[in-house]
């Protein structure tokens, strides 16, 4: 009888242990923003406003709504300026992360993006700088960076609107490893799920890089689309802000003011390829 009692205690203990593990791993995601409220946590600045005649605060960074599954969903729409207004070169928006990604840590970031229109030039990702330094450095404030654009580069390369990552030699389209080709351009008015697994270890320890997974468009299920993309600056500092930037291009050769929609920004410690929306 004593033996049976001890066995029962062991079984209950094991079940309790399993329950605790399940509880600890089922709610790992930290919400950065789902845009169901205000933009009070965000700062938006136009640090290179060359519009002529000058338009004060030309960027459009607003919460909009859509009907989704019989309910109303809110998202962020970001554009460098209204249509026909050019010369806003750095339209920055950023918000502090709920948890810093310390040097040596790996975190997974999840978000949904939706191209409102081309032509455009958008970049978004993470920064390890304070707001004052973000305003000063703009694109060089980024570390892990994702990009959506169909602009023509200064070297004549024409981007096609595929999602891009940062490499040591510039930017690269994400890849469809099954077809051994570059991924197709993003479809407009289509939501894509994006996970990027950020390794903030030192570069000497194979850190300062990130992997990207996508679901949407040609990718009917979650798919690895880029391995070992590189941080932009590799400062090896804690990542503390989510940052988005876009620009109209120069007045003489503007890129266009097409918008990009953002929604459901989350972060989770370690590698977490679950969907926080499910």
């Amino acid at each position: 009888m004593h033996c049976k009692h001890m066995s029962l205690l062991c079984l209950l203990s094991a079940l309790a242990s399993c329950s605790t593990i399940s509880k600890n791993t089922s709610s790992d995601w930290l919400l950065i923003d789902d845009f169901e409220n205000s933009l009070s946590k965000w700062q938006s600045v136009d640090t290179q406003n060359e519009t002529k005649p000058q338009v004060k605060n030309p960027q459009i960074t607003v919460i909009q709504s859509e009907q989704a599954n019989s309910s109303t969903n809110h998202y962020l729409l970001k554009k460098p300026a209204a249509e026909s207004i050019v010369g806003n070169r750095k339209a920055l928006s950023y918000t502090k992360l709920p948890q810093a990604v310390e040097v040596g840590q790996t975190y997974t970031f999840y978000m949904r993006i939706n191209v409102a229109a081309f032509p455009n030039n958008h970049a978004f990702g993470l920064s390890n700088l304070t707001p004052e330094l973000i305003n000063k450095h703009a694109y060089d404030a980024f570390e892990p960076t994702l990009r959506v654009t169909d602009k023509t580069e200064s070297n004549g390369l024409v981007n096609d609107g595929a999602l891009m990552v940062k490499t040591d030699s510039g930017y690269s389209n994400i890849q469809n490893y099954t077809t051994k080709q570059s991924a197709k351009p993003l479809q407009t008015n289509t939501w894509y799920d994006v996970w990027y697994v950020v390794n903030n270890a030192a570069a000497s320890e194979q850190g300062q890089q990130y992997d990207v997974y996508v679901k949407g468009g040609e990718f009917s299920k979650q798919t690895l689309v880029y391995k070992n993309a590189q941080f932009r600056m590799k400062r090896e500092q804690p990542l503390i802000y989510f940052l988005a930037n876009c620009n109209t291009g120069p007045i003489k050769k503007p890129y266009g003011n097409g918008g990009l929609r953002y929604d459901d920004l989350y972060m989770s410690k370690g590698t977490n390829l679950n969907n926080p929306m499910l």
Side-chain angles (χ1 to χ4, degrees):
M1 191 74 178
H2 175 72
C3 182
K4 184 184 292 187
H5 180 67
M6 289 299 294
S7 298
L8 180 60
L9 285 177
C10 290
L11 176 61
L12 291 173
S13 177
L15 290 173
S17 176
C18 290
S19 175
T20 302
I21 292 171
S22 175
K23 183 176 181 181
N24 287 344
T25 57
S26 64
S27 58
D28 291 340
W29 293 102
L30 294 174
L31 177 66
I32 300 172
D33 207 332
D34 59 7
F35 306 106
E36 294 300 327
N37 297 298
S38 70
L39 291 175
S40 60
K41 297 187 296 183
W42 290 78
Q43 299 180 61
S44 292
V45 291
D46 300 299
T47 60
Q48 192 178 344
N49 183 356
E50 299 172 356
T51 56
K52 293 180 181 180
Q54 177 106 145
V55 176
K56 187 177 181 181
N57 304 320
Q59 74 168 280
I60 297 171
T61 302
V62 295
I63 292 177
Q64 293 189 338
S65 63
E66 63 178 358
Q67 290 302 121
N69 300 322
S70 302
S71 62
T72 302
N73 176 60
H74 296 87
Y75 58 84
L76 179 74
L77 172 67
K78 187 168 174 63
K79 298 176 63 175
E83 295 306 315
S84 78
I85 295 175
V86 297
N88 191 24
R89 305 304 310 280
K90 293 181 176 66
L92 307 172
S93 297
Y94 45 87
T95 187
K96 193 170 186 179
L97 298 176
Q99 177 69 50
V101 180
E102 301 293 343
V103 176
Q105 291 185 323
T106 294
Y107 267 76
T108 302
F109 288 80
Y110 169 88
M111 64 190 303
R112 299 193 304 134
I113 60 170
N114 181 317
V115 178
F118 289 108
N120 66 38
N121 184 25
H122 290 265
F124 53 94
L126 306 175
S127 179
N128 45 25
L129 299 184
T130 61
E132 179 183 9
L133 291 176
I134 289 175
N135 295 345
K136 177 181 178 181
H137 293 285
Y139 283 104
D140 285 344
F142 281 113
E143 291 290 4
T145 315
L146 295 162
R147 187 191 195 200
V148 178
T149 187
D150 55 346
K151 63 164 280 197
T152 300
E153 304 287 2
S154 57
N155 63 4
L157 174 66
V158 180
N159 295 300
D160 63 4
L163 183 64
M164 306 178 82
V165 299
K166 190 73 181 70
T167 69
D168 286 337
S169 58
Y171 288 97
S172 172
N173 285 0
I174 61 171
Q175 300 295 302
N176 187 325
Y177 291 123
T178 300
T179 62
K180 299 181 180 179
Q181 294 179 334
S182 168
K184 297 176 182 178
L186 295 171
Q187 301 171 16
T188 58
N189 299 305
T190 301
W191 285 106
Y192 289 77
D193 298 274
V194 180
W195 295 256
Y196 49 113
V197 182
V198 175
N199 181 352
N200 199 30
S204 62
E205 299 174 354
Q206 289 71 56
Q208 304 297 286
Q209 58 187 15
Y210 57 108
D211 299 337
V212 181
Y213 298 76
V214 167
K215 179 182 178 184
E218 68 190 282
F219 303 107
S220 59
K221 60 182 180 180
Q222 182 190 74
T223 304
L224 175 66
V225 294
Y226 209 90
K227 183 78 174 174
N228 298 333
Q230 300 296 303
F231 283 22
R232 185 181 184 100
M233 306 304 293
K234 299 183 176 68
R235 295 185 183 91
E236 300 182 358
Q237 297 174 186
L239 299 165
I240 52 177
Y241 275 86
F242 176 86
L243 168 64
N245 188 9
C246 57
N247 71 72
T248 66
I251 291 178
K252 292 184 179 180
K253 292 185 178 181
Y255 309 142
N257 296 357
L260 185 65
R261 302 178 178 110
Y262 298 84
D263 203 2
D264 302 318
L265 278 62
Y266 286 84
M267 63 185 292
S268 176
K269 190 173 184 179
T271 300
N272 185 348
L273 299 180
N274 294 316
N275 189 328
M277 307 305 298
L278 299 179

